Amino acid sequence: MRAEPVEADIVALGILLALILTGSLPPEQAFAGFSSDTAIMICGLLILTGVAVVVYGSILVTGWEPGRNDTYRVSVFFSNAAGLLRGSPVQ
């Protein structure tokens, strides 16, 4: 049995937590970068990407049928996502 590698985001959060718990980094300074508009925007993009994978995955698993409005589901999702991203404060 082969062990799966740990994902980079889990390692980064683990190191951040270890630095806070050992007192090497104050919590205020550790989480200061998460309040920037760019970090929020990237987090939103990652969430939208995950939702897109689920939407397309459900279409691929069940098959593309002409009468099922798959095109409508995909276009509604991406038009709403584009509207959310357009209103973001990041220029």
Side-chain angles (χ1 to χ4, degrees), residues 34-45 81-91:
F34 290 107
S35 64
S36 72
D37 292 336
T38 305
I40 304 268
M41 177 74 170
I42 290 173
C43 182
L45 285 173
L84 288 173
L85 292 177
R86 182 159 188 220
S88 69
V90 178
Q91 299 294 326

Side-chain angles (χ1 to χ4, degrees), residues 10-90:
I10 302 297
V11 172
L13 288 175
I15 291 172
L16 181 67
L17 184 62
L19 288 172
I20 293 170
L21 291 177
T22 59
S24 301
L25 188 65
E28 298 82 22
Q29 188 178 5
F31 296 109
F34 290 107
S35 64
S36 72
D37 292 336
T38 305
I40 304 268
M41 177 74 170
I42 290 173
C43 182
L45 285 173
L46 292 174
I47 291 170
L48 289 175
T49 303
V51 172
V53 167
V54 170
V55 168
Y56 276 121
S58 70
I59 291 172
L60 290 175
V61 167
T62 59
W64 193 280
E65 296 176 10
R68 221 182 50 210
N69 291 331
D70 289 332
T71 305
Y72 176 75
R73 283 194 306 176
V74 171
S75 61
V76 165
F77 167 74
F78 281 107
S79 63
N80 287 330
L84 288 173
L85 292 177
R86 182 159 188 220
S88 69
V90 178

Side-chain angles (χ1 to χ4, degrees), residues 1-7:
M1 180 177 239
R2 189 173 150 205
E4 295 292 322
V6 180
E7 294 186 22

